[in-house]
Amino acid sequence: MTYESVNPSTGKLLKTYPEISDAQLEQALATAAAAFGQWKNVGYEQRAVIIHKAAALMQRHVDDFARLATQDMGKRISEARGEVTFSADILSYYAKHAEKDLAPKKLHPKVGKAHMQASPLGVLFCVEPWNFPYYQLARIAGPHLMSGNTVVVKHAGIVPQVAIAFEQLLLDAGAPKGVYTNLLISHAQSDRVIDDPRIAAVCLTGSVAAGRSIAARAGQNIKKTSMELGGADAFIVLEDADLDKAIPWAVWGRMFNAGQTCCASKRFIVLDAIADTFLARFRAALEALQPGDPMDEATTHGPLSSEAALVQLLGQVDVAVKHGARVVMGGKRMDRPGAYMQATILTDVAKDNPAFRDEFFGPVAMFFRVKDEAAAVALANDSDFGLGGCVFTRDAERGLRVATAVETGMMFINNIDWSDAELPFGGIKASGYGRELGDMGIQEFVNWKLVRTANHAAPA
Ligand code: NAP
């Protein structure tokens, strides 16, 4: 396998990068391990100078970084800029807050005194997806470098320009060589990295299939992992919802990043009393989107990340329809060059339809009508995934009740404002385990060591 940048809005191959050799990989791991020996002893203050500098460089060169994301995976340029800025914010946040999040915790034993103290684990191996090519890297680099770990990163094969630019960013900011290392490696090499005794822990953001393979391998090596996998989040609309607010969120929830977001709204579950109105307005709003070149600011509907992603999504829609789903709108590739999928709404997806349990990673919404709140919650929970979800209602108490009853790692009431530097992100069930970001995220890969001092005699 090679790392290729192919512009999905044109299909044009921009750049190819060969995988590194086994000897280069060995050198990279040795450098990362040696760097850990130094970096773990560098104080928070010194680490923060470097991470703050990286954030400032990102802010200064937003357009340059954003363009690479748009070229590699087709993200609309305004979204790419937003992602770069957010990534810089994440770096800054951890530069500022890591020391507080990892401060020793005093305990109160009956005898003597005790505390927990955090220390980094070592070299982390991080496998990352293409859909938020900077944010995903900032999400590991900010917290885990600030905690004193070093990281070696395998980014997705289709975003090599971004992968290389981010590594260069940290070097430009003054990170010693080996603190952050981008690895252009194959899956077989990735397996060997997981086995390598110099790797302390492994984290993945990606598909369930990748999670099964990587978590199993790490498990055989008794290495800690965190898994951020797929999702089929419910967008629940109760009959008292403010549709003027809910409809724009529904469009954003399904169409942001051309629908390629783990925690995108994928199942729209709407109470009967309001279902027809919601569906008509949702459809009209989707029809108003403007497909076009993702570099054009006027475009509101960009391409998918690759031709392969489009072919897979079209195949899933076909399977859904063969098993009885009805296409209310869209369902086809657009009649234009590039990997463009029509905004699509499917209804009548029965429980025995394979689509019912599937993740549609693109602009395909499944629409369900239900009789009441309890049925909405039951349907939301009838999923193999458990990442996020949201509920729209004017009644704060009902909102909280539904948010509590839905079995996921994250719930949003009257919004789907998924991610903030300080908010833990992650799921349950097939969506994975562990958290990234927030105080939980930064604590995921540290050793909380118990230290107890007591000078009494040993029991007889
Ligand atoms: P993917 O195929 O699993 O790829 C993700 C990363 O894993 C890529 O770097 C990929 O490398 C690597 N990979 C896959 N199989 C591997 C293996 N056996 N050994 C080593 N590396 C392996 O996922 P995707 O389809 O590109 O991304 C979309 C998926 O990620 C969706 O399911 C989405 O929901 C999920 N996601 C989850 C979150 C979250 O936070 N929960 C966030 C974003 C995305 P190659 O590219 O070289 O194959």
Side-chain angles (χ1 to χ4, degrees):
M1 196 204 82
T2 46
Y3 284 75
E4 281 185 347
S5 175
V6 177
N7 184 336
S9 70
T10 60
K12 200 168 154 230
L13 174 65
L14 301 176
K15 279 188 182 166
T16 302
Y17 302 81
E19 281 164 12
I20 59 173
S21 66
D22 288 346
Q24 288 170 312
L25 175 56
E26 166 54 33
Q27 182 60 52
L29 295 179
T31 307
F36 175 65
Q38 311 281 319
W39 187 248
K40 68 178 178 190
N41 294 320
V42 168
Y44 286 108
E45 213 174 306
Q46 231 177 306
R47 286 185 209 134
V49 170
I50 292 168
I51 302 301
H52 267 312
K53 176 90 188 290
L57 287 172
M58 277 196 109
Q59 296 284 15
R60 195 175 314 150
H61 301 288
V62 170
D63 288 341
D64 298 334
F65 283 112
R67 196 175 317 111
L68 296 182
T70 300
Q71 285 177 358
D72 275 357
M73 51 69 70
K75 190 182 292 277
R76 292 191 296 112
I77 191 67
S78 59
E79 290 183 346
R81 267 193 232 106
E83 182 181 334
V84 173
T85 305
F86 183 31
S87 302
D89 288 347
I90 290 173
L91 295 178
S92 297
Y93 178 86
Y94 289 95
K96 220 189 235 167
H97 295 279
E99 185 166 10
K100 171 179 60 67
D101 285 342
L102 298 177
K105 294 177 187 167
K106 202 162 178 229
L107 303 175
H108 304 283
K110 279 192 231 104
V111 178
K113 55 183 184 173
H115 70 273
M116 304 295 291
Q117 64 187 39
S119 50
L121 292 183
V123 185
L124 310 182
F125 178 43
C126 307
V127 181
E128 301 301 327
W130 46 265
N131 59 342
F132 291 94
Y134 289 110
Y135 161 76
Q136 290 294 153
L137 301 184
R139 216 159 84 149
I140 51 165
H144 303 323
L145 295 185
M146 277 307 300
S147 66
N149 294 296
T150 59
V151 298
V152 292
V153 181
K154 187 224 167 298
H155 213 333
I158 66 169
V159 288
Q161 297 196 90
V162 170
I164 291 166
F166 197 83
E167 179 187 52
Q168 191 58 48
L169 167 75
L170 280 148
L171 291 170
D172 291 347
K177 206 162 181 333
V179 164
Y180 181 101
T181 308
N182 175 51
L183 299 175
L184 300 178
I185 54 172
S186 66
H187 292 183
Q189 285 174 312
S190 160
D191 280 345
R192 292 202 289 281
V193 173
I194 297 170
D195 294 343
D196 193 291
R198 288 165 293 192
I199 295 298
V202 181
C203 63
L204 164 73
T205 296
S207 59
V208 173
R212 283 210 176 89
S213 164
I214 289 172
R217 191 91 186 191
Q220 280 167 0
N221 286 285
I222 326 281
K223 288 183 183 175
K224 183 165 188 205
T225 53
S226 77
M227 294 284 138
E228 301 281 359
L229 308 177
D233 289 9
F235 187 108
I236 298 174
V237 188
L238 302 185
E239 77 286 355
D240 64 346
D242 178 351
L243 286 191
D244 290 340
K245 289 221 174 81
I247 296 291
W249 275 118
V251 173
W252 192 83
R254 184 58 287 197
M255 299 302 293
F256 179 64
N257 207 33
Q260 305 162 112
T261 305
C262 50
C263 54
S265 306
K266 293 172 185 147
R267 298 179 298 146
F268 293 80
I269 301 175
V270 186
L271 262 58
D272 225 356
I274 204 172
D276 289 333
T277 315
F278 179 89
L279 185 56
R281 289 184 61 178
F282 186 35
R283 180 183 176 160
L286 291 177
E287 279 168 351
L289 296 175
Q290 287 301 316
D293 180 350
M295 286 302 292
D296 183 345
E297 302 283 349
T299 296
T300 50
H301 183 160
L304 294 183
S305 62
S306 67
E307 178 66 22
L310 174 61
V311 168
Q312 183 183 334
L313 192 60
L314 288 166
Q316 287 176 282
V317 171
D318 275 353
V319 169
V321 170
K322 276 200 190 95
H323 288 80
R326 196 165 69 83
V327 178
V328 171
M329 68 177 283
K332 302 232 164 355
R333 79 179 294 154
M334 284 187 206
D335 185 16
R336 55 175 297 145
Y340 287 83
M341 172 78 187
Q342 293 175 338
T344 299
I345 302 178
L346 300 177
T347 60
D348 302 282
V349 181
K351 278 197 186 187
D352 58 356
N353 190 326
F356 186 82
R357 305 214 156 260
D358 230 356
E359 179 187 27
F360 285 84
F361 215 56
V364 179
M366 287 194 277
F367 179 85
F368 302 88
R369 59 173 75 220
V370 289
K371 67 176 187 330
D372 57 19
E373 182 187 312
V377 169
L379 184 52
N381 285 339
D382 193 359
S383 170
D384 299 337
F385 293 105
L387 189 55
C390 63
V391 54
F392 283 79
T393 171
R394 284 192 171 89
D395 181 336
E397 215 171 288
R398 283 181 91 191
L400 193 57
R401 191 165 66 213
V402 170
T404 305
V406 174
E407 295 154 359
T408 58
M410 305 175 285
M411 276 301 283
F412 303 89
I413 301 172
N414 291 331
N415 74 90
I416 3 171
D417 212 348
W418 295 311
S419 192
D420 258 323
E422 67 270 37
L423 301 182
F425 188 104
I428 58 168
K429 305 204 270 188
S431 296
Y433 50 82
R435 293 292 180 270
E436 292 194 339
L437 297 178
D439 57 345
M440 291 176 78
I442 195 169
Q443 294 181 42
E444 199 71 49
F445 293 113
V446 295
N447 173 24
W448 278 110
K449 184 189 290 174
L450 169 71
V451 179
R452 180 179 195 175
T453 308
N455 294 320
H456 55 293

